[in-house]
């Protein structure tokens, strides 16, 4: 099985019970947000290395890094990493296309990511509003990880999702 298949089985498959899956996702969201904070703080940096090296750089596991690379793959500048076939020694690169990334975060309804304060220095408020409207007008909703209303909010507020970022959305 490839890394990606392993990750998808774990995160979306039937192998884990609800509680374990919730733990996996809340851990994932925390790490994902932390990585995005670092990437957005230095948005023109090109981060390169093997999957294993990037996992070490961001202080996480190869499996979580795999999920992250899967999530960011369509928001990169003019290329995609070979996520379907990669193993931990495959060289990958993260160089974001800020407009695509912002748009895709809106599509994934990840309020806690597209509202990160680091965006202020990357895209103007006007441009962000345009991208937001463009995405909403497209009518596309990304099939993202299911978050249940009573789960802890991925933004890290400590509130329930339904009382925080999941409100009226
Ligand atoms: Zn929240």
């Amino acid at each position: 099985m490839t890394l990606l298949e392993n990750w998808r089985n774990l995160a979306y498959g039937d192998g884990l019970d609800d509680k374990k899956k919730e733990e996996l996702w809340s851990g994932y969201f925390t790490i994902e947000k932390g990585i995005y904070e670092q990437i957005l703080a230095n948005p023109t940096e090109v981060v390169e290395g093997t999957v294993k090296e990037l996992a070490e750089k961001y202080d996480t596991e190869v499996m979580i890094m795999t999920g992250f690379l899967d999530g960011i793959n369509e928001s990169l500048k003019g290329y995609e990493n070979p996520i379907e076939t990669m193993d931990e020694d495959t060289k990958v690169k993260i160089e974001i296309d800020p407009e695509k990334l912002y748009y895709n975060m809106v599509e994934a309804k990840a309020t806690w990511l597209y509202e990160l304060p680091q965006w202020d220095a990357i895209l103007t408020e006007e441009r962000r509003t345009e991208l937001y409207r463009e995405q909403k007008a497209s009518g596309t909703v990304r099939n993202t990880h299911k978050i249940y209303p009573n789960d802890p909010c991925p933004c890290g507020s400590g509130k329930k999702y339904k009382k925080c970022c999941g409100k009226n959305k």
Side-chain angles (χ1 to χ4, degrees):
M1 231 193 286
T2 65
L3 270 185
L4 188 67
E5 283 170 338
N6 265 317
W7 161 253
R8 287 187 174 164
N9 277 348
L10 196 66
Y12 305 100
D14 299 323
L16 298 179
D17 62 31
D18 285 354
K19 195 172 176 297
K20 284 263 181 275
K21 206 175 267 185
E22 193 189 305
E23 281 169 16
L24 175 80
W25 277 114
S26 60
Y28 177 82
F29 284 131
T30 307
I31 292 160
E32 179 187 49
K33 189 179 167 196
I35 300 177
Y36 275 123
E37 281 168 344
Q38 293 180 60
I39 288 174
L40 295 177
N42 203 349
T44 55
E45 189 194 1
V46 183
V47 181
E48 278 180 288
T50 64
V51 179
K52 199 176 166 188
E53 284 164 353
L54 294 198
E56 279 161 18
K57 175 180 165 72
Y58 294 113
D59 202 17
T60 187
E61 299 156 32
V62 166
M63 209 32 57
I64 298 288
M65 200 62 222
T66 302
F68 185 83
L69 288 166
D70 185 20
I72 203 173
N73 212 32
E74 287 166 27
S75 308
L76 304 173
K77 221 165 211 168
Y79 70 94
E80 291 186 2
N81 286 310
I83 52 163
E84 305 280 348
T85 54
M86 69 186 182
D87 60 44
E88 63 175 31
D89 297 317
T90 304
K91 283 212 167 186
V92 291
K93 190 167 84 163
I94 299 176
E95 183 185 11
I96 59 160
D97 179 324
E99 297 211 343
K100 275 198 220 166
L101 180 60
Y102 187 84
Y103 185 96
N104 288 335
M105 285 173 170
V106 172
E107 188 170 285
K109 296 188 177 178
T111 322
W112 59 94
L113 297 179
Y114 67 74
E115 285 183 355
L116 281 172
Q118 286 83 354
W119 279 111
D120 293 343
I122 303 173
L123 295 173
T124 62
E125 205 179 326
E126 290 73 22
R127 188 62 191 132
R128 277 177 282 163
T129 306
E130 276 171 19
L131 288 166
Y132 183 92
R133 291 203 181 123
E134 214 176 278
Q135 199 292 314
K136 294 296 169 191
S138 79
T140 317
V141 179
R142 180 175 293 254
N143 227 347
T144 180
H145 352 296
K146 175 101 181 115
I147 311 167
Y148 293 94
N150 286 318
D151 286 351
C153 192
C155 77
S157 64
K159 290 187 235 167
K160 287 182 178 179
Y161 178 64
K162 68 178 177 191
K163 301 222 161 174
C164 189
C165 300
K167 219 170 176 178
N168 304 321
K169 290 209 171 83

